[in-house]
Every structure is written in C-alpha cells, then in structure tokens.
Amino acid sequence: MSASAPDATVKPASGFRLDLKTVGPLLALALLVLLGISLNENFLSYSNLTNVLARSSFIGIIAIGATFVITSGGLDLSVGSMAAVIAGIMIIVMNSLIPSMGVTWGVVLFGMAAGLVVGGGAGIGNGLMITRGRIEAFIVTLGTMGIFRSLVTFLADGGTLSLNFQVADLYRPVYYDGLFGVPWPIIVFALVAIGGEIVMRRTAFGRYCAAIGSNEQVARYSSINVDNVRLLTYILQGVLVGVAVLLYVPRLGSASSTTGVLWELEAIAAVIIGGTTLKGGYGRIWGTVVGVVILGLIGNILNLQSFISPYLNGAFQGVIIILAVLLQRGRRAS
C-alpha cells in the first residue's frame, strides 16, 4: 500500500506540468489578444491582423529554421546580418541583369535564385566551421554576424542599395498581393511551418535533432551522424533566411547596414517563447509560430498605443527571453 501512494501523486503532477508547458504559449497569446482588444477597437480588424502577420512572416520563417538549430543544441546569431547581405546581393544581381535582360520576371527569378544560393552557402559555411572546425556555434555565428554586416556595408559603400524602380514595381506583388485576400508572406510562412512541423515530428531528421540536443554522446553511440545532421540544420537555417529575404526585398526594395538588425534576437525569442529548450533536446514548430505571433502582437500594441514607445520593443523581447529561460529552468528544477 505504501509503495503505491507515491506513484499516484507523481503522475498527476507530471501531467499537470506537461499540460502547463503545452498551453502556456497559447494562454499568453490569448491574454495578449484580450489586452489588445481592450486598448484599441481596431486591434482585431482584418487589415491590422494581416499587416501584423505579414510583417511577422519574415521572422517566422527564420525562426522555424532556428528551431531546428536550437533543438540540436546549436545557435545562430548571424541570421539578421545574413539577411542583410542576401538582400544586398539580390539587388545587385537584379540591377546588373537589367541591361541584358530588360525589366522582366527573368531578372526577378535570377535574383531570387541568387538569394537562395547565398543563404544556403552561408549556412554551409557556418555549419562546416562548427562541425568540421570544432568551433563553438556562439563564436562562429558571432564572427559571421560581423562579417556579413560589414560586407553589406561595403557593398552599399556605407549607404543604401536600391532596386531599380521598374523591377521593384514588377516585384512588389510578391509581398503586397496574395491569394483569397491573404498576403503571400503569410501563405509561405504557413506552408513552411506545416512542413517544419511534419519534419520535426514525423521524420528521422527531426528525431535526430532532438537526440543530439539532448545528449550528443549518446546520439553518437546510437550511430547517428551528429556532424551531418547538425550541418543540415545550419543549411536549412540559411535557406530559410533566403526564403524570408525573397519576401522582404519587394516590401522596401532596398538593403543597407541596418537591414535585419535584431532579427536574430526576435527569432531566438520566438523559439524560446514557443517552448523549445534553449540547451537543445526538445523543440516544437507550432510553439515557435505562436511565439512569432506573440512578438508581432506586442510590437503592434506598442505601435497602436502612445503610452509606451515602440522603440522599447527590443527591450520587451530581451525581457521575454530571460523570463522564458527562467521558466524553463524552473520546470527542470521541479
């Protein structure tokens, strides 16, 4: 009799923690929506919500890649600077092709292809230095963050790279148009999120990411090719940064040294808010999507209301990251 009593108490407690961990981000999102409704009557308008989601899609696509990287025990601080240099190279490629190809969709498609190639190449570079060079991910991506930011500043000669006006007009629908009233960035974000959730939950690659992040040595003993899996996460991250930039460039049609500033903070914040463990071993794509929406709504509320400066958005994100990590430690300790 005495042996069975502890088991009965442990199971409900464990179940409660699991439920709280699962519904926590959704509860925070619901409370944030209620706050927005109480502060501004236009908060739930279709135009406001689609605007928030479209603007958040860039970070969301990048954050999905970051979920795989962090789940496998890695980190990428270079995504914002990477986005800036990808945007700059895309603009240079498209502008340089106009004399020979004219203002056509061929120019735009070549620019898009260049963005994906540069993103994938940057991911390969980061991944190889981490997996083959045996350098800490923090050091590698901190270094490439500076390299990418300096490179786009050099390409722009300290100013701004601007896309040809005619090509920009041709390219604009990629951001501003959509399907059934839903902008393309939101549609692409949704498709990437669905694909990411399937890969994370239903494929060997997703399971390997979690296993490596949980215990790298055990993963090696289990015949998992740790270096190749981790390299693939950085390649995926780079390609998804490229996808995000394909949707970002038609919005402004320019790139400079300030493009993508703090995107790495927003991506990491979204991942951690969504419940992915910062030290690796556990990740969930749907949670990252909820985290992205939460961050987008916080920024939107700050913009709609004048009592707090929207320039404090980065401070809010920093506080959220710290609180989310503290909550994760609290759950592990309990």
Side-chain angles (χ1 to χ4, degrees), residues 51 54-55 58 171-172 175-176 247-254:
N51 182 53
R55 289 172 177 265
F58 313 128
Y171 197 1
R172 278 172 62 85
Y175 176 81
Y176 289 98
L247 301 168
Y248 176 81
V249 169
R251 177 171 173 252
L252 298 178
S254 64

Side-chain angles (χ1 to χ4, degrees), residues 9-333:
T9 57
V10 168
K11 288 180 181 178
S14 176
F16 175 75
R17 286 198 299 270
L18 179 61
D19 290 341
L20 185 61
K21 182 178 180 181
T22 301
V23 304
L26 295 174
L27 180 61
L29 178 60
L31 292 174
L32 192 60
V33 170
L34 291 176
L35 175 63
I37 294 172
S38 65
L39 292 175
N40 194 296
E41 61 181 9
N42 295 321
F43 179 77
L44 281 184
S45 66
Y46 180 79
S47 59
N48 183 60
L49 291 181
T50 54
N51 182 53
V52 171
L53 291 176
R55 289 172 177 265
S56 300
S57 296
F58 313 128
I59 299 301
I61 293 169
I62 293 172
I64 289 169
T67 304
F68 285 95
V69 171
I70 293 174
T71 299
S72 66
L75 187 67
D76 194 341
L77 300 174
S78 69
V79 294
S81 301
M82 188 189 300
V85 78
I86 290 172
I89 291 176
M90 282 180 61
I91 290 171
I92 290 174
V93 168
M94 285 188 279
N95 286 344
S96 65
L97 290 175
I98 293 173
S100 59
M101 298 182 64
V103 179
T104 63
W105 269 102
V107 169
V108 175
L109 292 175
F110 268 108
M112 288 180 165
L116 293 176
V117 169
V118 173
I124 291 172
N126 282 339
L128 287 177
M129 285 187 282
I130 292 166
T131 59
R132 304 304 192 262
R134 306 298 177 190
I135 307 173
E136 289 291 331
F138 176 84
I139 300 300
V140 169
T141 58
L142 184 65
T144 53
M145 177 176 68
I147 292 170
F148 294 148
R149 188 66 65 186
S150 296
L151 182 58
V152 72
T153 304
F154 168 76
L155 293 174
D157 197 21
T160 301
L161 290 165
S162 297
L163 186 59
N164 176 276
F165 288 118
Q166 292 176 300
V167 175
D169 287 338
L170 185 65
Y171 197 1
R172 278 172 62 85
V174 173
Y175 176 81
Y176 289 98
D177 285 357
L179 190 63
F180 304 117
V182 181
W184 287 118
I186 299 176
I187 294 173
V188 174
F189 177 31
L191 292 175
V192 172
I194 293 169
E197 181 68 22
I198 293 172
V199 171
M200 181 67 80
R201 295 289 165 221
R202 303 295 181 184
T203 69
F205 176 71
R207 293 192 292 272
Y208 290 166
C209 288
I212 293 168
S214 180
N215 192 313
E216 183 177 329
Q217 282 303 115
V218 171
R220 291 185 186 276
Y221 293 148
S222 301
S223 300
I224 296 175
N225 194 322
V226 172
D227 290 342
N228 283 353
V229 172
R230 188 163 282 162
L231 174 61
L232 284 175
T233 63
Y234 284 97
I235 296 174
L236 177 63
Q237 175 73 94
V239 171
L240 289 180
V241 172
V243 172
V245 175
L246 300 188
L247 301 168
Y248 176 81
V249 169
R251 177 171 173 252
L252 298 178
S254 64
S256 69
S257 60
T258 61
T259 298
V261 170
L262 294 182
W263 280 15
E264 58 280 340
L265 175 64
E266 295 183 55
I268 293 171
V271 173
I272 303 307
I273 292 169
T276 296
T277 305
L278 184 59
K279 290 186 177 181
Y282 177 80
R284 55 187 185 192
I285 300 297
W286 73 262
T288 296
V289 173
V290 174
V292 169
V293 176
I294 287 175
L295 291 178
L297 292 180
I298 289 175
N300 182 242
I301 291 173
L302 292 178
N303 286 327
L304 291 175
Q305 300 303 124
S306 59
F307 60 89
I308 299 177
S309 171
Y311 297 119
L312 291 174
N313 198 14
F316 276 92
Q317 292 167 2
V319 171
I320 289 171
I321 292 176
I322 294 171
L323 290 177
V325 173
L326 285 175
L327 287 174
Q328 287 182 359
R329 288 184 176 180
R331 285 196 295 265
R332 288 198 297 270

